[in-house]
Amino acid sequence: MRLIPALLLSTALVTQPALAAEITHEGARQLEQKFTSYLPDSVAKSGLIKVRPGTANYEVTFDPTVLLKDVDPKTFSISGLKPLLSLIQPLEDGSWNFSQSADLDVKGQFTAGTDKTDFSYKIDGFRMDGVYDPEILYPKSAEMTANGIFMSSHSPLQSVEAHFGTMKSILESKRGNPGTIDLRSNTAMNAFTETVVDPAKVRIDVSADSVTADVAMNGVAYKPLHDIIFFVLDKVKADKLTPEDQTRLKEVLRANLPMFDALLESIDVANLKVVTPAGTFGAQTLRYTVNSNGLKDGAKAGFGIVIDRPSVPPGVVPDAFVAALPETVSFGAAFENLNLASGIGYFLDHADFNAEKPLTDEQSTAAGRLFLPGGALTLRYEDVSARSSVYDISLSGTTTVYPEQQGRQTTDVTIYARDFDKTISYLQQNAQTVPQFGQAAFVLLMMKGFAKIEADGRQMWNLVVDESGKMKINGQELAIPH
């Protein structure tokens, strides 16, 4: 809810950069008028937003309770909401200081079908300070801190309670090429705990010393993005879009492509523990990443996960397998050569936003084909590896599949292994305990015969499988029985 007044504030500033730095009653009236001009009349006149001049700031009050006057309490109810006060101060360069501080303690209930869910949100205290650039509708810089964050949800299907000790979030923006901005945010939270209980009363407890999220988005065309925001605010109450509205919506959506030039996101979790009825699982660190180069033709969409020092409860893994547990495991890959702009363009050309299904089944199939040039979906393995005391392997390369042609695919990957003899020895030494290890050791000995030795001593295999299923290892063709 805190983002709503901030969004409305920034929206007003986009169209009102010339308000004087002096705090006046007329300035407050103009600012309130701008805030509410993008809202439906019934909401604009409800007292949702009020502005009055203070000594050194404009005092902006956002009262969310007015939005709930027409809500049926049998389907949704909430208590504890109170107006949020924000202070804004015009600066000589046209930007605005922005400040909020408050706490939150709300409880409520909503009904979905026949199930009722009770929820609560509590923040002992939060504060946000920043400087907004009125042209780009985003902070030049901002910092938010919060402590004592608690949330809960209880329903017949599941009970969830989560808590963070403290949180600090930093936002910043920089002008890039003409008409674009680069955005960055970093959020750090500590002392995370979560408890989940299912209907069978099975309890899962999750905890982490810290959770850090870092997001960078470069090359964002901010003016087309403003147009979408304004359109949504203007049509939020409309049951259907007129033909002119549909045309305008498609224009602003198309103008936003490719949306951004680069997106990088990472989430890092330190000292993760998951307590289950079977015992405690964990990891020293867990890192999740997402990356993309925009909604364009030839686009790339990547993802990855890295787990350091994973752990399992005693007895879950047989003794013979303990040495095989990885110390570090990573999987990073990306879908390549996606024609996102062509597929989205076809959707916008044919979509009817008033229909239950914007596209017919035939049109959906046609759009899907445009996303994949030649019907091919290529997955590139960028960072795939696992390391333990008895093995050290990594893999790179590609796999291409054709979703509409079952069984058609190609693979070209390169596998590296360090200390390969140690891996074979481990399997042989434990073959009496685990018979499958003996078979695996035999296969690895055969693979060793095909390996090339790199300058650093690693074994290397280039594995190529063509569309007919023929396999080559380091250029030598293998006959695979079917």
Side-chain angles (χ1 to χ4, degrees), residues 64-184:
T65 61
V66 304
L67 299 174
L68 303 175
K69 291 180 179 179
D70 298 327
V71 176
D72 184 355
K74 294 181 180 179
T75 60
F76 181 85
S77 63
I78 190 169
S79 63
L81 280 179
K82 55 186 179 182
L84 175 66
L85 177 65
S86 304
L87 302 178
I88 60 174
Q89 181 184 54
L91 303 177
E92 294 296 336
D93 64 358
S95 59
W96 292 71
N97 271 337
F98 175 82
S99 178
Q100 294 176 342
S101 61
D103 54 24
L104 180 70
D105 188 0
V106 300
K107 297 179 175 64
Q109 183 183 86
F110 65 87
T111 301
T114 59
D115 294 331
K116 292 186 177 182
T117 299
D118 296 307
F119 64 88
S120 68
Y121 297 93
K122 184 176 181 180
I123 303 176
D124 289 342
F126 70 84
R127 181 177 182 87
M128 184 174 183
D129 299 279
V131 178
Y132 278 88
D133 184 331
E135 183 180 348
I136 66 175
L137 205 156
Y138 200 80
K140 286 184 177 179
S141 61
E143 178 177 302
M144 189 184 82
T145 58
N147 61 83
I149 305 166
F150 175 80
M151 58 198 76
S152 68
S153 173
H154 300 276
S155 74
L157 299 178
Q158 186 174 255
S159 172
V160 180
E161 294 186 353
H163 177 269
F164 285 100
T166 62
M167 180 185 76
K168 181 178 181 179
S169 184
I170 297 175
L171 308 175
E172 65 178 25
S173 64
K174 294 181 179 179
R175 299 294 183 98
N177 296 324
T180 69
I181 53 175
D182 298 337
L183 307 178
R184 179 75 181 268

Side-chain angles (χ1 to χ4, degrees), residues 257-293:
L257 297 178
M259 190 68 76
F260 54 85
D261 293 332
L263 167 67
L264 297 171
E265 179 180 358
S266 65
I267 299 175
D268 293 88
V269 182
N271 194 23
L272 174 66
K273 292 182 180 179
V274 182
V275 181
T276 74
T280 300
F281 299 81
Q284 189 176 80
T285 60
L286 182 149
R287 180 178 177 86
Y288 176 73
T289 58
V290 175
N291 63 84
S292 175
N293 61 353

Side-chain angles (χ1 to χ4, degrees), residues 157-427:
L157 299 178
Q158 186 174 255
S159 172
V160 180
E161 294 186 353
H163 177 269
F164 285 100
T166 62
M167 180 185 76
K168 181 178 181 179
S169 184
I170 297 175
L171 308 175
E172 65 178 25
S173 64
K174 294 181 179 179
R175 299 294 183 98
N177 296 324
T180 69
I181 53 175
D182 298 337
L183 307 178
R184 179 75 181 268
S185 71
N186 178 271
T187 301
M189 298 170 281
N190 70 3
F192 168 69
T193 62
E194 181 180 31
T195 298
V196 181
V197 181
D198 68 12
K201 304 301 180 184
V202 176
R203 174 173 172 151
I204 306 294
D205 291 298
V206 183
S207 66
D209 288 350
S210 64
V211 179
T212 303
D214 194 86
V215 181
M217 186 180 293
N218 296 338
V220 179
Y222 57 90
K223 289 185 178 179
L225 187 59
H226 296 169
D227 289 339
I228 290 182
I229 295 172
F230 298 152
F231 183 91
V232 171
L233 289 174
D234 185 45
K235 305 299 179 183
V236 68
K237 290 271 187 161
D239 294 329
K240 288 189 176 182
L241 297 178
T242 66
E244 294 76 16
D245 289 339
Q246 293 219 35
T247 298
R248 177 57 181 159
L249 177 57
K250 292 177 181 182
E251 287 175 351
V252 298
L253 290 173
R254 200 186 303 274
N256 269 272
L257 297 178
M259 190 68 76
F260 54 85
D261 293 332
L263 167 67
L264 297 171
E265 179 180 358
S266 65
I267 299 175
D268 293 88
V269 182
N271 194 23
L272 174 66
K273 292 182 180 179
V274 182
V275 181
T276 74
T280 300
F281 299 81
Q284 189 176 80
T285 60
L286 182 149
R287 180 178 177 86
Y288 176 73
T289 58
V290 175
N291 63 84
S292 175
N293 61 353
L295 308 181
K296 62 184 182 181
D297 285 351
K300 169 187 172 183
F303 58 94
I305 186 168
V306 179
I307 303 174
D308 288 323
R309 302 288 181 181
S311 60
V312 298
V316 170
V317 176
D319 292 343
F321 288 87
V322 170
L325 290 175
E327 297 174 1
T328 300
V329 60
S330 66
F331 182 88
F335 292 104
E336 292 186 330
N337 200 27
L338 302 172
N339 282 350
L340 300 183
S342 293
I344 294 172
Y346 180 93
F347 173 82
L348 295 176
D349 287 340
H350 297 85
D352 178 2
F353 293 115
N354 290 328
E356 183 177 347
K357 296 171 61 177
L359 297 181
T360 65
D361 292 341
E362 293 78 10
Q363 290 170 338
S364 295
T365 299
R369 288 172 178 163
L370 287 174
F371 282 112
L372 304 180
L377 177 62
T378 299
L379 180 66
R380 177 170 294 278
Y381 308 106
E382 298 181 322
D383 180 19
V384 180
S385 64
R387 187 179 72 248
S388 80
S389 61
V390 295
Y391 59 78
D392 185 346
I393 59 175
S394 61
L395 177 149
S396 61
T398 61
T399 292
T400 300
V401 299
Y402 296 79
E404 292 192 342
Q405 301 178 53
Q406 187 175 2
R408 182 185 177 190
Q409 71 175 61
T410 60
T411 295
D412 186 345
V413 297
T414 300
I415 303 169
Y416 293 93
R418 191 183 303 275
D419 298 328
F420 199 56
D421 289 338
K422 183 186 293 186
T423 305
I424 296 173
S425 176
Y426 161 76
L427 294 172

Side-chain angles (χ1 to χ4, degrees), residues 433-450:
T433 305
V434 185
Q436 293 88 343
F437 279 6
Q439 300 171 12
F442 177 74
V443 172
L444 294 189
L445 283 169
M446 291 180 59
M447 288 180 59
K448 185 178 179 181
F450 288 97

